[in-house]
Amino acid sequence: SPHGERPRARPAAHPRDARGGGAAARDRDDADRQGADEAPGRLPGTGRLFVGLDVGTSAVKAIAVDADRGAVVASASRPLALDTPRPGWAEQDSRSYGEAAISALAELTAALGRRRDAIAAVGLSGQMHTAVWLDAARLPLRPAMLWCDGRTTAECAEILERVGAARLARTV
């Protein structure tokens, strides 16, 4: 080799490939038991993927999981900014949820390549108790108030006092 490298040995041809000939195919002697080693009631792998999308407080996360094995195949995440304009306040630009979701899903499907065609289902999850107020055109009126925003602490205490903990627990 001109660079002082030793030439690599070429791997031997597989005995059944076109170059090597090899033994002819034969019938399986266990054909009557084929599939008997599978777990009862379980179908052989299908290659299907399940995708999960979570709009969380700190990030939008996307994940693809092999439906048969439960193994993570690919994942992507996009951070979300948290604004605290005053003590006890917690807000986010709700428009960033969709932008981050699209970006994370684009990265996820790019990582999957041709396997993206195997996506069989998509599950969604998100922050609970976050308020996004929309106008008649379905555009945000203001930043979203997150579940951890403390502006309604006094109102929550008043409701608890008027309704009572037991009734509130049954209602909510």
Side-chain angles (χ1 to χ4, degrees):
S1 156
H3 301 289
E5 297 172 6
R6 293 176 46 180
R8 295 183 190 188
R10 207 172 143 187
H14 186 279
R16 291 193 188 175
D17 76 6
R19 291 174 293 181
R26 59 182 170 79
D27 288 335
R28 292 178 53 151
D29 63 357
D30 67 342
D32 60 323
R33 294 186 324 270
Q34 187 173 357
D37 58 344
E38 294 290 332
R42 181 171 161 82
L43 297 174
T46 60
R48 296 174 309 146
L49 299 174
F50 293 155
V51 169
L53 183 69
D54 175 46
V55 179
T57 305
S58 62
V60 172
K61 298 161 286 281
I63 188 169
V65 177
D66 182 290
D68 299 306
R69 296 181 297 123
V72 174
V73 177
S75 64
S77 180
R78 293 294 179 273
L80 294 173
L82 175 66
D83 297 322
T84 54
R86 295 187 185 164
W89 290 24
E91 300 180 339
Q92 285 179 322
D93 178 358
S94 60
R95 294 171 299 186
S96 67
Y97 302 152
E99 294 162 1
I102 290 168
S103 178
L105 288 169
E107 180 182 333
L108 183 80
T109 54
L112 291 172
R114 295 179 66 185
R115 280 203 72 190
R116 70 178 170 262
D117 295 335
I119 295 172
V122 177
L124 305 173
S125 173
Q127 318 172 26
M128 290 184 56
H129 314 298
T130 291
V132 178
W133 288 279
L134 304 176
D135 65 14
R138 298 183 181 163
L139 298 173
L141 289 168
R142 60 168 328 283
M145 286 178 62
L146 273 60
W147 60 271
C148 55
D149 189 288
R151 280 178 264 193
T152 62
T153 301
E155 290 83 354
C156 290
E158 182 179 343
I159 291 169
L160 184 60
E161 184 179 323
R162 287 184 182 195
V163 174
R167 184 172 168 209
L168 188 60
R170 285 191 312 270
T171 307
V172 178

